[in-house]
Structures are given as structure tokens and as C-alpha cells.
């Protein structure tokens, strides 16, 4: 790709960008949120048309003016947000639009037989007739890769393929990538997880503000080198939270909480004002369910919530919110945000009461609050009126956080707050949490990012199968200690 430029209304997404990739090469494309990574690969995938620039494949000039054209040129795409048809089965998805037919009808036997070898190649142990919605996100991603392989893709684009995968699924994806590489397939790998990039990529290309910002050869790929390419400066000390449990010890208490997912288990813990309590555990350990039960969106079967000495009724999101307890949920698509709304409207949504007098919304106040969060979180957007659906993935996540930060919380529960967020923005979010803690907010952070949970927490609760398997104090923090408890090991005495 040479001299690629692309503008959206009010945004220069790409300016004169160059990208090349060799057969059998795994190329990492890195950059901060909004740097233009997805836009660049969407141009290669025929989703967007460039304003200028050319694309050559195998020495020939090509025009990729549609997704079908990209298919024809052997370009496969595993998107940042999966777009799989849930109601079809595995084989139906792989051969969508190219189903083998007999007398005009889809030949079921044939399509299953044709799909099988691709599943085996990827080590995906499911029947081709399994409906898609029965598969985990990781498995659905493998189906997308199978689809690309079945179309004989020469180039496969993976846009943040691991952002919703478990540790184990990530490992098997990295294994699959090695296999694809051996078959001579070129892979463009976009990720914010720099550890993975170091592990599986042959070369790194960085974008910054829509422009090429340099690259790294295999032997030069290090965490720090990648960060300074992306950010253009050193970030210095990443995690700065100093322990600070101000106020009473047990400011917010959860007592004998029973969630409907694990009816046989009770969860009890407390958080101090100004404390950051991390929640670690494997996917499925019940951390999100705990948070949703506290917040009253999932029905708790039993339990007690106490804030600053007074009890708050269980299973009432209304009273939980009224008492200043907020949850920034994990899945921004389903509960955090309205994609068709502007940034301003999303940020003010949960706190409209604060911006209205006698039922009328005070627009300047609403605007000021939105601008404040946009600045604080460094959201990259033309203005507060920009539609959230048009922002890059990481910037959407920042809007989710901004919405809750605008509400003067007492207790904040973050569920995977930095998923899909770049290093610079992560640091901004950690600084914000630190500042909130200093003001006496009790903070609960559920995170699957080991480095993060060890870096920002004052204590860590490790969950296993619906219960807290152990509570680690700062002196006990280590990756091994967290893993040991997360897989069901016994806690050792503090
Ligand atoms: N359809 C669109 N309409 C308007 N602006 C867009 C559209 N798609 C992308 N943009 C803008 O183009 C810029 C580049 O976005 P892009 O999605 O390519 O970033 P990215 O590098 O993939 O970021 P992330 O790491 O957050 O996914 C951003 O400022 C984004 O808001
Ligand atoms: Mg992107």
C-alpha cells in the first residue's frame, strides 16, 4: 500500500501511509487509539475507499472497491468487532454465499465435509453443524479464520483478535498464526497487547496520528521501543498508585452475597475509602456476576450491602446509583453506551438529573461536563457532538468511563476498564483512578490483565468458581500468587 490517505468528516484518519508485507510474514500494526490502524486495514479489506494511494499485490496494481473484490484478491479479514451470523451453523458461516448446491438446494453433507478439514487445520474441535451462538468468542474467531482459509486467502488481517479471548484461547490463536505463516500466508496483526506482538510478530509498523511513525525489525522488538514509536515519547513510571486507605476501614461492605450463577457460594469483602481493590480470576470465575449483582442488574439471591454504615437495599439499581455506587460494565456494546448518540449525550445520560432544572436540561452545563471528560481522558474526536459509533474502539471505551466519572461517585466498580485501550490512555485511566482514590472514592477493578491488576491495586481478591479464593495484601503480590489462587489453589496464611 503506497501513499494511502483517507479523511472522514472532520477527521484526517490517514495521511500518505505506506505499508508492505511479504509472503509468510507476520506484521504487527501498532498505534494509539485512533491512530488509523483499523481504517488502513479496512481499505485493504475493501470496506473503505482511500482518497488517494495505490495497492499492489504480487507486483500487480489492484483496485479493491468492495469486500467482494478483496475476497477475489485473496484478502481475509477477522474484524475487531465480530460480524458473524449467529443463527447459522459453523459450516454455513464458513461457506456463506458459496454453499455447495445440489438441485439448487444447499448440499448439507457436502458443506459439512468441506468444512471439516479447515476446522482440523485450526485445531477447532467442534462439529460443523454446531450453531455459532453455542461457541465461545475465541471459537467464533477461529471460524472467521476458517472462512478466510477456505477462500484461499493470501493475506489475513486480524484486528485486535485477542481482546476478548481467554489466556488459553490466545495461546491457541498464536499457534494457529505460526501454522498460517508456514503455509506462506501473510498476516497483519493489530493488537494493543505488546507481549503478544513480541511473541508472534516478525516486524512492527507503527502509526501515529494517521501517519507512519517508523518500524522495528524482529530483533529490535521490545516493549519500550514499541511504546516510544506509538507515543513519540517515553511514558516513564507506568503505575503510580501509592497505597491510600483514607477514611474508615470498611467504607463499602458486601456481605454474604449470593449470585444466581453460583447459588451455592457466598461472597464477602470490603473496600476502604480511597482504596483500589483488584479482582483477579480466570474468565468464568464469577467476577462480572458479582459486580452485576451488587449493582442490581443481575438478581442477587441473598446478601447485604453496607455503605458508610448504612444498609442499601439489594437488587435495586436505582438505590445503588442514588447512593453513589456505579458500575462501568465490561461490554460497552450491550450496556455501557449508545452508539448512535453523540459523546456529549452519552456522558450526560446517566446524570441528566444533575443537568436539569424543573425538568429542563441546562445545555451549557451538559456541554461543559462533556468537554471536561473529553479533556481529562484525552478522547480523540472532532467535538463533543461526534457520534460515538464513529470513534475508534479505544476512544469509545473512554466515553464509557467518562460517563461515570461525571457523576461524583462514592464507589466505582470497573469491569475490564482498559480492554482495547492503548498504553498512553491506560496510563491516563490509572492516573484518574489514583486521583479518585485520593479523593476518598472506593474503587473496585475487575481485570484480566495481570500486569494491570498487580500494578494498580492496594489489595487483590482472587476469585475461583464463584467464591473469593484468597485476598492478597501488597507484600504478597506476585503473578504466581494470583495464578495459584485463580486455578483453585489454597490460600496460605497472611
Ligand atoms: N466511519 C467513520 N466515520 C468517521 N470517523 C471515523 C470513521 N472510522 C474511523 N474514524 C476516525 O478515524 C480515526 C482513526 O480511527 P481507527 O478506527 O482507524 O483507529 P484505530 O487505530 O483502529 O484505533 P483503536 O486502537 O482504538 O481501534 C479516528 O479518529 C476515528 O474516530
Ligand atoms: Mg481499531
Amino acid at each position: 500500500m503506497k501513499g494511502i490517505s483517507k479523511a472522514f468528516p472532520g477527521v484526517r484518519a490517514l495521511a500518505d501511509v505506506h505499508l508492505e508485507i511479504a509472503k509468510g510474514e507476520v506484521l504487527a500494526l501498532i498505534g494509539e487509539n485512533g491512530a488509523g490502524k483499523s481504517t488502513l486495514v479496512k481499505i485493504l479489506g475493501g470496506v473503505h475507499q482511500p482518497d488517494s494511494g495505490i495497492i499492489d499485490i504480487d507486483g500487480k496494481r489492484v483496485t479493491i472497491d468492495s469486500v467482494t473484490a478483496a475476497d477475489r484478491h485473496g484478502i481475509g479479514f477477522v474484524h475487531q468487532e465480530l460480524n458473524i451470523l449467529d443463527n447459522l451453523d459453523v459450516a454455513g458461516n464458513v461457506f456463506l454465499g458459496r454453499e455447495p448446491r445440489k438441485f439448487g438446494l444447499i448440499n448439507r453433507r457436502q458443506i459439512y465435509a468441506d468444512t471439516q478439514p479447515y476446522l482440523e487445520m485450526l485445531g477447532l474441535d467442534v462439529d460443523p453443524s454446531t450453531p455459532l451462538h453455542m461457541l465461545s468468542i475465541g471459537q467464533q474467531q477461529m471460524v472467521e479464520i476458517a472462512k478466510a482459509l477456505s477462500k484461499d486467502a493470501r493475506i489475513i488481517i486480524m484486528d485486535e483478535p485477542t481482546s476478548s479471548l481467554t489466556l488459553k484461547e490466545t495461546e491457541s490463536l498464536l499457534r494457529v498464526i505460526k501454522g498460517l505463516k508456514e503455509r506462506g500466508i501473510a498476516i497483519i496483526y493489530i493488537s494493543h497487547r505488546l507481549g503478544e506482538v513480541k511473541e508472534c510478530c516478525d516486524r512492527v509498523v507503527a502509526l501515529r496520528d494517521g501517519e507512519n511513525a517508523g518500524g522495528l525489525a524482529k530483533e529490535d522488538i521490545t516493549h519500550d521501543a514499541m511504546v516510544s514509536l506509538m507515543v513519540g515519547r517515553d511514558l516513564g513510571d507506568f503505575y503510580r498508585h501509592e497505597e491510600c486507605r483514607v477514611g474508615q476501614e470498611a467504607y463499602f461492605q458486601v456481605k454474604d452475597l449470593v449470585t444466581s450463577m453460583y447459588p451455592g457460594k457466598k461472597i464477602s469483602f470490603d473496600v476502604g475509602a480511597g482504596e483500589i481493590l483488584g479482582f483477579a480470576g480466570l474468565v468464568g470465575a464469577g467476577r462480572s456476576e458479582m459486580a452485576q449483582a451488587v449493582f442490581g442488574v443481575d438478581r442477587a439471591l441473598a446478601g447485604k450491602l453496607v455503605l458508610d454504615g448504612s444498609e442499601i437495599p439489594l437488587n435495586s439499581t436505582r438505590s445503588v446509583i442514588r447512593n453513589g455506587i456505579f458500575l462501568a460494565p465490561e461490554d460497552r456494546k450491550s450496556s455501557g453506551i449508545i452508539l448512535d448518540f453523540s459523546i456529549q449525550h452519552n456522558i450526560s445520560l446517566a446524570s441528566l438529573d444533575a443537568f436539569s432544572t424543573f425538568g429542563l436540561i441546562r445545555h451549557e452545563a451538559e456541554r461543559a461536563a462533556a468537554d471536561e471528560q473529553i479533556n481529562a481522558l484525552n478522547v480523540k474526536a472532532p467535538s463533543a457532538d461526534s457520534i460515538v459509533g464513529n470513534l475508534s474502539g479505544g476512544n469509545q471505551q473512554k466515553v464509557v468511563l467518562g460517563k461515570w466519572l461525571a457523576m461524583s461517585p462514592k464507589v466505582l466498580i470497573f469491569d475490564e476498564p482498559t480492554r482495547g485501550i492503548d498504553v498512553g490512555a491506560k496510563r491516563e485511566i490509572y492516573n484518574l483512578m489514583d486521583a479518585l482514590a485520593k479523593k476518598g472514592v472506593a474503587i473496585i477493578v475487575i481485570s484480566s490483565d495481570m500486569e494491570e491488576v498487580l500494578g494498580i491495586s492496594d489489595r487483590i481478591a482472587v476469585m475461583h468458581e464463584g467464591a473469593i479464593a484468597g485476598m492478597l495484601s501488597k507484600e504478597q503480590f506476585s503473578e504466581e500468587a494470583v495464578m495459584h489462587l485463580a486455578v483453585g489453589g489454597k490460600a496460605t496464611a497472611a
Side-chain angles (χ1 to χ4, degrees):
M1 302 177 81
K2 288 184 210 157
I4 304 285
S5 297
K6 173 78 185 172
F8 295 107
V11 181
R12 186 198 66 162
L14 296 171
D16 195 24
V17 171
H18 293 246
L19 185 85
E20 52 182 61
I21 180 162
K23 249 184 124 171
E25 185 177 38
V26 183
L27 177 73
L29 186 59
I30 62 171
E32 293 190 287
N33 296 131
K37 305 177 298 294
S38 295
T39 304
L40 183 63
V41 293
K42 279 181 185 163
I43 287 174
L44 184 58
V47 179
H48 291 319
Q49 299 312 302
D51 299 333
S52 61
I54 52 172
I55 304 177
D56 291 341
I57 299 179
D58 227 355
K60 285 195 212 64
R61 184 72 26 100
V62 296
T63 310
I64 305 179
D65 51 10
S66 66
V67 176
T68 334
D71 263 2
R72 213 167 45 237
H73 289 296
I75 294 158
F77 205 145
V78 181
H79 282 272
Q80 185 165 10
E81 319 286 355
L82 283 183
N83 52 352
I84 278 181
L85 299 171
D86 265 0
N87 49 352
L88 291 179
D89 60 16
V90 170
N93 262 285
V94 171
F95 283 99
L96 185 67
R98 300 171 296 140
E99 300 87 352
R101 288 180 189 268
K102 204 172 177 182
F103 312 119
L105 295 173
I106 295 178
N107 183 344
R108 289 267 145 224
R109 222 162 38 158
Q110 189 65 45
I111 192 173
Y112 291 148
D114 289 350
T115 303
Q116 193 61 42
Y118 295 110
L119 302 184
E120 280 166 20
M121 205 183 313
L122 298 173
L124 184 57
D125 189 19
V126 299
D127 195 90
S129 63
T130 317
L132 242 291
H133 62 83
M134 309 272 291
L135 305 187
S136 72
I137 295 189
Q139 291 172 320
Q140 295 186 13
Q141 220 147 36
M142 291 295 176
V143 172
E144 288 276 272
I145 298 174
K147 187 195 251 173
L149 288 175
S150 73
K151 291 179 184 171
D152 244 342
R154 297 184 283 175
I155 302 172
I156 297 183
I157 300 162
M158 300 187 188
D159 194 353
E160 293 192 42
T162 58
S163 57
S164 14
L165 299 191
T166 64
L167 283 174
K168 227 176 119 225
E169 288 175 323
T170 300
E171 265 170 34
S172 61
L173 179 71
L174 297 187
R175 238 190 343 269
V176 163
I177 288 178
K178 287 203 181 91
L180 297 176
K181 176 181 160 61
E182 274 154 26
R183 302 164 67 90
I185 295 172
I187 293 160
I188 302 178
Y189 191 85
I190 299 178
S191 180
H192 289 293
R193 298 192 176 173
L194 302 180
E196 277 164 21
V197 167
K198 191 165 156 45
E199 190 178 331
C200 80
C201 297
D202 299 318
R203 195 159 60 86
V204 165
V205 164
L207 294 182
R208 195 190 308 149
D209 292 330
E211 294 176 14
N212 282 95
L216 296 167
K218 176 98 189 159
E219 58 280 9
D220 301 325
I221 302 178
T222 62
H223 186 275
D224 291 353
M226 288 190 275
V227 170
S228 65
L229 277 187
M230 289 192 287
V231 193
R233 63 196 144 88
D234 280 338
L235 278 182
D237 190 10
F238 208 65
Y239 305 104
R240 276 193 331 167
H241 180 62
E242 295 134 30
E243 190 172 357
C244 110
R245 290 188 70 151
V246 300
Q248 311 111 286
E249 281 287 287
Y251 182 60
F252 178 55
Q253 294 169 281
V254 172
K255 292 182 179 168
D256 297 328
L257 182 75
V258 181
T259 66
S260 52
M261 189 187 184
Y262 286 104
K265 303 281 175 70
K266 288 180 179 168
I267 303 169
S268 301
F269 64 89
D270 58 71
V271 204
E275 185 186 25
I276 300 183
L277 175 65
F279 265 83
L282 303 180
V283 171
R287 293 172 300 163
S288 296
E289 289 71 19
M290 174 279 292
Q292 309 224 325
V294 167
F295 199 57
V297 278
D298 269 4
R299 236 192 126 58
L301 303 180
K304 219 169 146 180
L305 307 177
V306 180
L307 178 67
D308 212 2
S310 7
E311 191 171 342
I312 295 167
L314 202 60
N315 292 323
S316 161
T317 306
R318 225 185 145 76
S319 27
V320 169
I321 291 182
R322 193 172 291 148
N323 280 286
I325 303 171
F326 303 121
L327 168 69
E330 170 179 35
D331 183 358
R332 61 172 175 262
K333 281 273 165 72
S334 67
S335 38
I337 212 163
I338 302 176
L339 291 174
D340 302 335
F341 277 22
S342 68
I343 301 180
Q344 172 170 341
H345 288 142
N346 267 290
I347 288 180
S348 64
L349 199 59
S351 45
L352 272 183
D353 278 355
F355 302 119
S356 53
T357 319
F358 307 121
L360 294 174
I361 297 172
R362 286 178 295 121
H363 289 285
E364 292 99 86
E366 189 193 0
R367 180 60 163 216
D371 283 337
E372 187 186 326
Q373 295 309 326
I374 290 175
N375 285 332
L377 294 168
N378 200 4
V379 177
K380 198 169 178 264
S383 82
D385 295 323
S386 307
I387 300 301
V388 167
N390 288 340
L391 300 182
S392 76
N395 282 304
Q396 290 182 11
Q397 181 67 15
K398 293 191 211 168
V399 175
V400 175
L401 298 180
K403 172 170 141 187
W404 299 115
L405 296 176
M407 305 185 58
S408 0
K410 290 190 177 135
V411 178
L412 258 179
I413 310 173
F414 294 102
D415 196 353
E416 303 288 357
T418 61
R419 174 171 288 169
I421 286 199
D422 66 49
V423 278
K426 263 187 196 161
R427 201 172 109 117
E428 282 157 31
I429 287 168
Y430 301 150
N431 285 345
L432 264 157
M433 287 181 183
D434 191 44
L436 286 167
K438 288 217 169 78
K439 282 194 206 155
V441 179
I443 298 178
I444 296 169
V445 181
I446 299 171
S447 172
S448 298
D449 184 333
M450 182 72 87
E451 225 186 313
E452 169 171 297
V453 91
L454 290 170
I456 61 174
S457 313
D458 293 315
R459 282 184 304 155
I460 300 176
V462 186
M463 285 191 72
H464 172 72
E465 290 181 353
I468 294 180
M471 185 71 81
L472 300 171
S473 59
K474 205 128 189 166
E475 321 77 73
Q476 298 170 309
F477 281 11
S478 75
E479 203 162 310
E480 294 72 40
V482 172
M483 263 336 253
H484 174 74
L485 292 168
V487 298
K490 290 274 170 293
T492 47

